[in-house]
């Protein structure tokens, strides 16, 4: 039997830092976690190593930058050492319960090291999308008539906009049946379903300590929160039809920011209600741990893989077109039994360091393969090295199932405590921001401003890029390619370019 503390890792898709109560949000989205934050380490500036999901999780799970094994590698390499395999080696029982994010699947190597791995996907490995695909787009006669009218109307200038409006209203009102409930619209299992699975697994555990990873999708678009989540947030009289209408409106590509902004608060309330439901379910999970006498010896880390945009920079959702704070700044709450809470300074903490820090907090060895370092000692003393965090993505890779998109130009951000440098290899630009005087990242500094800081951050970016190209590992790459081919054959692909089906 292994000794030691158990570890619960909770990751919440799309949860941006500034929408959590314990990070200063004005709406009561996280009452339970706010209370827990009173006895936890709260990281003021936790920064993801990449965004979205597929560029973020290699750092969270394997303490590796997303392009450390080459930009074509999505997810973990076959058999790559990660948090689960490290705990497994130490004799822990390990389990993952996820809410159907296709990028957190065996296909992308995340099952390695887990005794139990339930991704809720039922083999459905299609890329995520934000819409419901209103049925007038289907391939029936009405659909083709609509498409013909669409083409004609766009040749007629302002008539095109009027057509778009009419067409949208027509799709919403006439071509789809009113939804019966929010549950019927939801794309992903809600947090209570995932917690039920985890609870059953916890009840069956033997004496071993455990590593349990839960991934929630409640705040992910399309935003279909539970009725109870809306209730907790105080949102009343919201019908499923209204929620579907607003989601479809928010997803329109024919509207400018000005018109979309009119619905921003409504849509954001649905996103916030998703966070409320996660908070309530984490509370329920911890009650279960208490009931099984497991909580007193359990470390908890709660964080996110990236945030979400609500038009702050004209963007919606979280596609890899930028690395603004709304996307890279995430909450990180760490509760370690027996460790006294200390306030942490605002220096950036890269999620690259989370896995080694967790292992260290559980008094376990840190695998040599990990790129990050444990900060456990510093954290206990209320210190945080004033370093830099790097976040990156391939700007055009909106669908990583298509290998040709993975090879696009990189976007890289170096985040310091005050300054942030964003390098676009597509446009060849370097934009520097002073987050103290310009927290909303609206005014890039002139080339002449903050020269020493700019030089230092460029140097950090350069060293990072050099290190990355030196670390590529062709055996890992080939093993992973073989895994991908095997899995696509087993799944009867190709179907990877198809859009995800409409909500059940
Ligand atoms: Zn994600």
């Amino acid at each position: 039997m292994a000794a030691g503390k158990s570890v619960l890792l909770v990751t919440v898709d799309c949860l941006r830092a500034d929408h959590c109560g314990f990070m200063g949000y004005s709406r009561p989205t996280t009452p339970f976690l706010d209370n827990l934050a009173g006895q936890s380490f709260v990281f003021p500036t936790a920064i993801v190593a990449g965004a979205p999901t597929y560029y973020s999780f290699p750092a969270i799970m394997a303490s590796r930058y997303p392009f450390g094994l080459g930009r074509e590698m999505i997810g973990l390499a076959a058999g790559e050492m990660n948090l689960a395999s490290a705990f497994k080696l130490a004799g822990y029982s390990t389990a993952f319960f996820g809410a159907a994010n296709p990028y957190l699947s065996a296909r992308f190597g995340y099952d390695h090291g887990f005794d139990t791995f339930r991704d809720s996907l039922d083999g459905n490995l299609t890329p995520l999308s934000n819409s419901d695909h209103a049925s007038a787009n289907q391939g029936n006669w009405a659909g083709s008539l609509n498409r013909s009218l669409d083409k004609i109307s766009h040749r007629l200038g302002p008539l095109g906009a009027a057509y778009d409006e009419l067409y949208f209203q027509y799709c919403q009102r006439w071509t789809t049946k009113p939804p019966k409930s929010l549950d019927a619209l939801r794309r992903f299992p809600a947090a209570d379903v995932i917690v039920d699975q985890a609870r059953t697994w916890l009840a069956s555990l033997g004496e071993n300590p455990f590593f349990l990873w839960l991934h929630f999708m409640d705040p992910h678009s399309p935003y279909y929160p539970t009725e109870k989540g809306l209730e907790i947030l105080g949102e009343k009289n919201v019908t499923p039809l209204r929620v579907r209408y607003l989601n479809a409106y928010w997803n329109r590509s024919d509207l400018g920011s000005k018109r979309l902004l009119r619905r921003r608060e409504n849509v954001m309330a649905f996103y916030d209600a998703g966070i409320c439901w996660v908070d309530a379910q984490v509370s329920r999970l911890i009650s279960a741990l208490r009931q099984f006498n497991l909580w007193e010896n359990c470390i908890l880390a709660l964080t996110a893989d990236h945030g979400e945009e609500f038009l702050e920079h004209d963007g919606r959702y979280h596609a890899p077109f930028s690395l603004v704070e709304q996307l890279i700044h995430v909450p990180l709450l760490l509760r370690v039994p027996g460790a006294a809470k200390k306030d942490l300074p605002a220096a950036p903490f890269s999620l690259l360091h989370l896995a080694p820090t967790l292992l260290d907090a559980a008094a376990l060895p840190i695998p040599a393969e990990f790129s990050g370092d444990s900060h456990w000692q510093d954290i206990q003393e209320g210190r945080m090295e004033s370093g830099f965090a790097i976040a990156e993505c391939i700007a055009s890779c909106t669908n990583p199932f298509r290998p040709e998109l993975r090879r696009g130009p990189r976007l890289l951000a170096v985040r310091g405590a005050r300054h942030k440098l964003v390098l676009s290899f597509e446009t060849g630009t370097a934009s520097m921001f002073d987050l103290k005087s310009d927290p909303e990242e609206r005014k890039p500094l002139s080339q002449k401003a903050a020269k020493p800081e700019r030089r230092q951050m460029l140097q950090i970016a350069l060293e990072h890029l050099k290190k990355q190209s030196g670390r590529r590992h062709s055996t890992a790459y080939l093993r992973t390619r073989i895994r991908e081919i095997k899995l696509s054959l087993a799944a009867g692909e190709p179907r990877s370019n198809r859009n995800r089906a409409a909500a059940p």
Side-chain angles (χ1 to χ4, degrees), residues 12-14 52-54 56-57 101 103-104 128 215 217 220 304-307 318:
V12 188
D13 219 290
C14 304
T53 313
Y54 38 95
S56 180
F57 270 103
N101 187 319
Y103 309 121
L104 299 181
L128 292 177
H215 184 71
M217 292 287 278
H220 195 287
D305 56 345
H306 52 82
H318 52 268

